[in-house]
Amino acid sequence: MAIPTSTSGAAVHAAGIPSPSAPSDPVGVLALQGDVREHLAILNGLGVDARPVRTAGELAVCAALVIPGGESTTMARLIEAFDLEAPLRRAIAGGLACLTTCAGTILLARVIEDGLPGQLAFGVLDLTVRRNAYGGQQASFEAALDVPAVGSEPVRVAFIRAPTIESVGPTVEVLACHDRRPVAVRQGRHLALTFHPEITGDPRLHALFLRGLEARPGAGAPTG
Amino acid sequence: MPAETNGHIATGTPRIKRGLAEMLKGGVIMDVVTPDQAEIAQEAGAVAVMALERVPADIRRDGGVARMSDPALIKAIIGAVSIPVMAKCRIGHFVEGQILQALGVDYIDESEVLTPADEEHHVDKWPFTVPFVCGARDLGEALRRISEGAAMIRTKGEAGTGNVVEAVRHMRAVSQGIRRLQGLRDDELPSAAKALGASLELVRETARLGRLPVVNFSAGGLATPADAALMMQLGCDGNFVGSGIFKSGDPKRRAKAIVAATTYFDKPEMLAEISTDLGEPMVGIEISTIPREELLAARGI
């Protein structure tokens, strides 16, 4: 399998998989801080109207939201300082589906271990996550990950100062494990990852998320 | 690179080294000289801290040879925060780089702020597991550093001055260099590569992307939220702020404001609010009053 570079890879992979019917409403990428550009590139490669979101007004028009990788404590500070917590909670309670990678997964978790005192946790995903559980940057790694929900070909992904998922609630479906720990999970229409498919450019997990949007909120998501 | 089976992992690859810089985008990396300052920076929303014994303004004032910081200080700062910790080695001083890697820092800044250890060679950064960031004044410098293995670039600016003019000059020079490449025919790129002193492969990649192949931050002289937003509007991916925070009247408030201005860099109404009532900024230095031999940006080109 050719290893694509971050932005050009989306189109290469997209040609090989069934194209999801792109949602007609825009998909937002929370753009307070982090690897926003890479998520926008993958979504655009999948034919989605993808937009950066930094304000409640920009959030209001989105059908779904990607919360990218970055520094979870920085994003939390900005969400608090610019009064985005309530609009995000309302939108998610109203059915906004989220795809989260790394820091995004930490933000939406129910319990954060090794976070800052009082670090904002939305409690949307019934997960306990541990920040920086693999160690510092020198322990960051690439891996080829089996994710049966997106096909038999392993997904090449990057774990960058990644968190681990220490435990999952009963409504959480584990889609992939690494080192015997869950690294990709689905809860309703939310898809949460501890790694970065957007850095390696494989669009299949984004495509899986988009296909899940076609399901009615609350109905079981298709298994891909 | 061959595909690996599930469970086999690769650390320190170019993608992993560049990848952490991608995660820092849109954020502020703050110079800190104590664990307390590191905690203040983290609390204010810094995406990373740069651990050092003296901020550039003090290095400039004190003179003498500036070296890698004491490992005890770096370890104390790593222990104080959960965000990434960077530290500086001298240009060309690959043993300081080895020591910083052994200390477990998350990024090394091969920095002209310290006294260069080698006037001809930079550190060969490819063999390291830890990623490096390097300063650049123009596109040629940036591409030469990337050829040596830098996983992130920043403007040099003129550190420790509180004067953003040099960072602006360097950011514009890099951007103009890239736009010039984009206007060239394919058969004109080899000559451009020669003029830049950079490899043809990197020149081609940069022309195709319309940006550097690695993340490009600003650094050197930023002191206000407006400075941070200016650099973002000029096209950088995020900001380093050195002396500008902890040499100001109210570091906590200023740190938060610079973080906010880096995110909302293109919204003047918000910037007006963010810039209000921050206390005294650091005192700046007019670049033309600095003796030529004391300018830091000319080190390591």
Side-chain angles (χ1 to χ4, degrees):
Chain A
M1 178 178 113
I3 307 297
T5 54
S6 61
T7 47
S8 63
V12 175
H13 275 284
I17 57 168
S19 179
S21 57
S24 47
D25 291 326
V27 172
V29 179
L30 191 66
L32 300 175
Q33 189 275 315
D35 71 332
V36 176
R37 178 168 71 201
E38 286 68 22
H39 281 289
L40 290 172
I42 288 200
L43 292 168
N44 286 330
L46 292 169
V48 173
D49 174 7
R51 303 176 182 185
V53 168
R54 286 178 297 169
T55 63
E58 289 164 349
L59 178 66
V61 300
C62 292
L65 184 68
V66 175
I67 307 183
E71 183 46 58
S72 64
T73 57
T74 301
M75 291 186 213
R77 285 291 173 266
L78 288 162
I79 287 169
E80 289 163 341
F82 290 93
D83 300 326
L84 294 170
E85 184 180 346
L88 277 166
R89 283 193 188 282
R90 269 199 303 277
I92 293 169
L96 182 81
C98 296
L99 166 63
T100 61
T101 59
C102 197
T105 298
I106 296 171
L107 271 177
L108 288 201
R110 189 169 56 77
V111 179
I112 302 171
E113 294 180 348
D114 294 341
L116 297 191
Q119 182 172 338
L120 175 64
F122 277 85
V124 169
L125 303 169
D126 193 4
L127 308 173
T128 297
V129 298
R130 182 183 295 278
R131 283 178 73 223
N132 303 331
Y134 297 90
Q137 167 63 11
Q138 294 180 49
S140 295
F141 60 95
E142 289 182 40
L145 196 66
D146 286 325
V147 189
V150 300
S152 56
E153 184 77 19
V155 184
R156 188 152 195 96
V157 298
F159 290 79
I160 297 178
R161 286 175 53 92
T164 51
I165 294 174
E166 301 286 306
S167 66
V168 304
T171 62
V172 175
E173 178 192 2
V174 176
L175 299 181
C177 286
H178 180 80
D179 228 2
R180 295 185 300 280
R181 279 184 289 211
V183 293
V185 300
R186 185 159 54 187
Q187 179 184 316
R189 299 192 307 158
H190 303 307
L191 179 59
L193 316 172
T194 63
F195 53 81
H196 302 282
E198 76 281 7
I199 285 292
T200 36
D202 190 322
R204 286 178 292 168
L205 284 153
H206 290 72
L208 176 69
F209 172 66
L210 296 173
R211 283 199 300 276
L213 298 180
E214 295 161 19
R216 290 188 316 279
T223 54
Chain B
M1 202 182 301
E4 293 176 46
T5 55
N6 194 8
H8 289 86
I9 63 167
T11 58
T13 64
R15 200 149 55 188
I16 287 296
K17 293 199 240 182
R18 294 175 181 190
L20 177 56
E22 304 289 358
M23 300 306 148
L24 302 175
K25 285 193 304 233
V28 181
I29 300 165
M30 302 182 191
D31 278 5
V32 297
V33 300
T34 64
D36 284 351
Q37 287 188 356
E39 286 185 56
I40 290 170
Q42 174 173 264
E43 192 61 31
V47 289
V49 291
M50 177 75 68
L52 68 180
E53 276 168 342
R54 291 176 292 170
V55 292
D58 291 335
I59 292 173
R60 185 177 288 287
R61 187 199 61 207
D62 296 349
V65 174
R67 312 178 178 89
M68 178 188 80
S69 297
D70 185 333
L73 173 76
I74 294 167
K75 280 196 274 193
I77 288 173
I78 290 173
V81 293
S82 58
I83 57 177
V85 175
M86 302 185 169
K88 291 184 194 287
C89 77
R90 282 179 266 177
I91 289 172
H93 205 314
F94 51 87
V95 172
E96 285 187 349
Q98 292 163 3
I99 292 169
L100 291 173
Q101 174 162 294
L103 288 170
V105 303
D106 296 298
Y107 239 94
I108 296 176
D109 183 6
E110 185 183 18
S111 178
E112 70 284 358
V113 167
L114 305 184
T115 310
D118 190 323
E119 294 186 334
E120 281 196 38
H121 308 97
H122 281 68
V123 172
D124 175 14
K125 295 166 272 286
W126 295 111
F128 286 81
T129 304
V130 66
F132 278 74
V133 55
C134 287
R137 298 179 303 176
D138 54 35
L139 182 59
E141 276 188 43
L143 295 180
R144 289 196 292 280
R145 298 296 84 76
I146 295 168
S147 303
E148 296 156 2
M152 179 179 185
I153 293 294
R154 56 169 175 76
T155 61
K156 285 180 170 171
E158 190 59 31
T161 61
N163 188 340
V164 79
V165 64
E166 295 301 308
V168 168
R169 189 192 318 282
H170 301 161
M171 191 67 216
R172 282 194 185 275
V174 170
S175 303
Q176 285 168 6
I178 294 170
R179 285 197 297 275
R180 200 168 298 126
L181 287 185
Q182 287 180 292
L184 297 178
R185 287 159 45 107
D186 280 353
D187 62 1
E188 292 165 342
L189 290 176
S191 167
K194 195 174 163 194
L196 288 166
S199 80
L200 178 57
E201 191 189 355
L202 265 180
V203 165
R204 284 204 174 114
E205 188 182 4
T206 302
R208 180 175 58 78
L209 292 172
R211 57 174 170 81
L212 292 180
V214 303
V215 165
N216 184 21
F217 267 46
S218 81
L222 281 71
T224 68
D227 290 348
L230 172 67
M231 297 312 299
M232 294 298 286
Q233 288 202 29
L234 285 172
C236 74
D237 293 317
N239 293 314
F240 283 86
V241 183
S243 321
I245 289 173
F246 288 99
K247 286 286 174 189
S248 74
D250 189 343
K252 278 184 198 176
R253 192 173 292 182
R254 185 161 297 265
K256 279 185 193 168
I258 290 177
V259 168
T262 300
T263 293
Y264 294 106
F265 63 91
D266 56 352
K267 299 193 180 295
E269 293 81 10
M270 294 179 74
L271 292 171
E273 177 113 348
I274 288 164
S275 301
T276 301
D277 197 19
L278 298 180
E280 283 297 306
M282 75 177 280
V283 177
I285 303 173
E286 167 62 44
I287 304 295
S288 62
T289 65
I290 303 172
R292 234 184 132 66
E293 63 277 13
E294 289 180 20
L295 291 174
L296 304 177
R299 293 169 164 181
I301 58 175

